[in-house]
Amino acid sequence: MPLQNRVAPNGELCAVSARGMFMGNRGGRIHDPETQKLTGRTHASRRWLCCSTTYKDWHRDVWGKFYTELFFFDEVTALAAGHRPCFFCRKEDAKRFADHWMRCEGLEKHPSSDEMDKVLHEQRCGHKKSPASLPVINPHEDWPDGTVVQVADTFLALKKGTWWSWSFEGYTPVSSPLPDQVTLVTPPQIIKILEDGYAPKWGAFNT
């Protein structure tokens, strides 16, 4: 039985067997090490990270006594769920992310981790009380690569002007035209960073 540690674009934690490109956490432990079940909390702090699945020769006991390891299909998924690159194991990506944040906000210096986490925590839908509080957008307008939206129960991601249907196994072509209004899943601040040129790492496309 797989652990409930695979992250959907809206931040939901699912028990599926599919592996992911990235690991992450939500600032601490939100599972019971004895039962390996979630405690009911969505996060331990507002420090939601997207990490590398490997770092040096370190090995982890997944869902042991320390933080709750989570897994993402790809970085597009992690960003949509409101996780940012980790400054420890993904130092160069994290610096690049902070560079785009500074530039698109017109800041004179790089934002601190706490400053970024505070903004993202207010925007990610995994922290929202109601899906109705999420922005509604027109998907036919100009959006950056890596934008994720939701139509009914389906998540869609945009790449090079084409919307793709998301799943834990990969992206597949969208089978029908999109309506003029869809729910924006990717946090608005992440949209700004994508618009500024941050290029997330994508998973497999199944055509």
Side-chain angles (χ1 to χ4, degrees):
M1 181 68 180
L3 297 175
Q4 193 178 347
N5 61 3
R6 268 54 175 180
V7 185
N10 64 351
E12 181 182 358
L13 302 182
C14 305
V16 297
S17 59
R19 298 178 64 85
M21 290 177 61
F22 291 93
M23 187 181 77
N25 67 83
R26 293 181 176 175
R29 196 175 76 202
I30 57 174
H31 72 278
D32 181 339
E34 298 298 324
T35 64
Q36 290 202 315
K37 302 291 185 182
L38 293 174
T39 60
R41 295 193 298 168
T42 60
H43 57 280
S45 78
R46 61 190 181 202
R47 196 175 298 280
W48 293 27
L49 302 178
C50 175
C51 304
S52 173
T53 55
T54 60
Y55 184 73
K56 297 183 178 180
D57 59 349
W58 292 12
H59 297 278
R60 295 195 59 83
D61 179 18
V62 175
W63 281 33
K65 295 181 179 180
F66 301 102
Y67 68 75
T68 302
E69 293 88 353
L70 305 174
F71 295 89
F72 310 96
F73 169 65
D74 61 3
E75 190 176 16
V76 173
T77 306
L79 292 175
H83 290 248
R84 61 168 175 80
C86 174
F87 274 99
F88 184 70
C89 62
R90 296 183 60 205
K91 188 174 182 180
E92 293 306 314
D93 287 334
K95 285 183 176 179
R96 187 164 53 92
F97 184 88
D99 284 342
H100 287 289
W101 189 301
M102 178 180 69
R103 186 161 53 242
C104 71
E105 290 299 321
L107 304 178
E108 295 183 355
K109 63 179 182 178
H110 290 106
S112 68
S113 296
D114 287 339
E115 289 170 334
M116 291 190 287
D117 292 337
K118 184 176 180 180
V119 172
L120 292 176
H121 197 61
E122 292 299 320
Q123 295 184 359
R124 50 189 162 227
C125 64
H127 180 56
K128 300 281 188 180
K129 293 182 179 180
S130 169
S133 62
L134 297 175
V136 174
I137 66 167
N138 183 344
H140 305 295
E141 295 178 351
D142 189 20
W143 296 95
D145 280 4
T147 298
V148 177
V149 301
Q150 186 171 5
V151 180
D153 295 329
T154 302
F155 297 109
L156 307 172
L158 184 67
K159 186 174 185 182
K160 295 183 179 179
T162 299
W163 289 99
W164 294 81
S165 180
W166 177 96
S167 77
F168 286 105
E169 288 76 29
Y171 297 99
T172 55
V174 173
S175 59
S176 58
L178 271 64
D180 290 337
Q181 289 191 328
V182 298
T183 299
L184 178 65
V185 176
T186 304
Q189 185 65 31
I190 299 291
I191 295 292
K192 288 183 180 182
I193 291 170
L194 295 174
E195 288 176 333
D196 195 62
Y198 183 84
K201 296 175 176 61
W202 290 80
F205 286 77
N206 304 312
T207 57

